[in-house]
Amino acid sequence: MFDYQPLARALQDRRTVHAIPCRSLGDPGYRDRSLEQMADDYCAMVRQVQPAGPYHLLGWSLGGSLAALIAARLEGQGQTVGFLGLVDPFVPAGDAAGSPSWWDDFRLFVSQMLPLARIEDLADIDASVPPRADLLAAALGREAARQGPGGPSGHACMDGADLAQAFLTTLHLKHLALQAQALAPVQAAASLWWSDETAAGHRLRLAQQLRQEGAEGVDRAEGTVIRADHYAIMRNEGLTAEILDALALEYALD
């Protein structure tokens, strides 16, 4: 949720924003079964808050996949999606067999959440066995305390237990993502923003899955490239300005 804060602040007093967090973050005992089940549940939540469209949806990374799945469900229920914004979205490819070990994912997680940490400082974590929440919480808590509230990540308010749960949730969602089927077609024209490291084939695969692969669809699939990597893109001021422009809202940089 931290990654969406710059956009949410820019939308303050302009648009009402409703965020849907992954329930596992607040309830360690809860586990989603599939992206399709998550989209069903989230679609029901959206309609509980706003019973009828047009709907304006936006998601980043796996949240982009879920936004597209929700859009397809809303359209299937006879509703209109007025805006579908996808920011460097995950696109299912059916390549679960090639997924790296959890330790590789953990190293990446630490580099993003606790950028001053050295992975060798977390020596009490055994990468050869499945991750344990208590050991992760203890090691991450020590490192978070060492970096202090002024740390550079913006996640310094999270304690060890929060960080451990965030990682385990991320790991489970990755498993669901790698098992996911192709995204459902949508009628809404997706507004797309990609990081500058995303391959052209990845973009085209999204257009094909959303059934926007014609000449116009390929142009849509190209979208706009933002000069930021996947993890920094939501904090990019240029992206924020472009999203507000797509929503016909003015944005003044500080």
Side-chain angles (χ1 to χ4, degrees):
M1 298 303 292
F2 290 95
D3 299 283
Y4 290 91
Q5 285 183 355
L7 177 61
R9 285 194 295 268
L11 288 169
Q12 190 172 1
D13 299 325
R14 294 179 171 91
R15 289 287 182 97
T16 300
V17 177
H18 296 281
I20 305 178
C22 180
R23 283 170 288 183
S24 296
L25 292 173
D27 180 2
Y30 181 85
R31 291 185 67 131
D32 288 296
R33 301 185 303 277
S34 67
L35 294 192
E36 289 73 20
Q37 166 257 308
M38 293 175 73
D40 288 340
D41 292 350
Y42 293 174
C43 184
M45 293 178 189
V46 168
R47 296 206 66 184
Q48 186 174 19
V49 173
Q50 181 182 328
Y55 295 94
H56 295 78
L57 308 172
L58 181 137
W60 160 66
S61 193
L62 187 59
S65 308
L66 288 167
L69 289 169
I70 293 168
R73 282 156 174 74
L74 289 170
E75 291 176 345
Q77 295 169 12
Q79 298 298 316
T80 299
V81 175
F83 174 80
L84 176 60
L86 307 180
V87 181
D88 215 30
F90 168 78
V91 185
D95 55 357
S99 60
S101 71
W102 74 266
W103 183 250
D104 293 328
D105 290 312
F106 185 67
R107 291 170 66 95
L108 179 59
F109 177 84
V110 170
S111 72
Q112 296 298 319
M113 304 296 280
L114 299 169
L116 299 181
R118 297 180 304 169
I119 199 70
E120 56 267 25
D121 292 337
L122 308 176
D124 53 346
I125 299 178
D126 186 351
S128 67
V129 298
R132 282 179 44 182
D134 57 340
L135 296 180
L136 291 176
L140 292 170
R142 287 195 304 271
E143 188 56 37
R146 186 182 73 80
Q147 295 197 18
S153 69
H155 304 87
C157 61
M158 300 174 71
D159 62 17
D162 292 333
L163 289 166
Q165 186 57 30
F167 171 68
L168 293 174
T169 297
T170 299
L171 203 61
H172 179 62
L173 291 178
K174 179 179 179 179
H175 170 74
L176 297 185
L178 292 175
Q179 300 296 327
Q181 302 300 311
L183 299 175
V186 295
Q187 299 171 28
S191 296
L192 297 165
W193 292 274
W194 301 100
S195 75
D196 56 9
E197 61 186 16
T198 304
H202 189 87
R203 305 177 200 173
L204 182 58
R205 187 166 71 247
L206 177 68
Q208 293 169 340
Q209 292 186 17
L210 298 185
R211 299 286 171 82
Q212 301 187 4
E213 70 270 26
E216 182 182 359
V218 170
D219 291 338
R220 292 176 187 165
E222 287 302 311
T224 300
V225 175
I226 302 295
R227 292 193 175 279
D229 66 29
H230 178 74
Y231 296 96
I233 191 170
M234 284 302 298
R235 300 188 295 277
N236 183 279
E237 288 186 335
L239 172 69
T240 299
E242 290 220 5
I243 292 173
L244 267 65
D245 183 62
L247 291 169
L249 298 170
E250 295 182 357
Y251 178 51
L253 295 177
D254 293 334

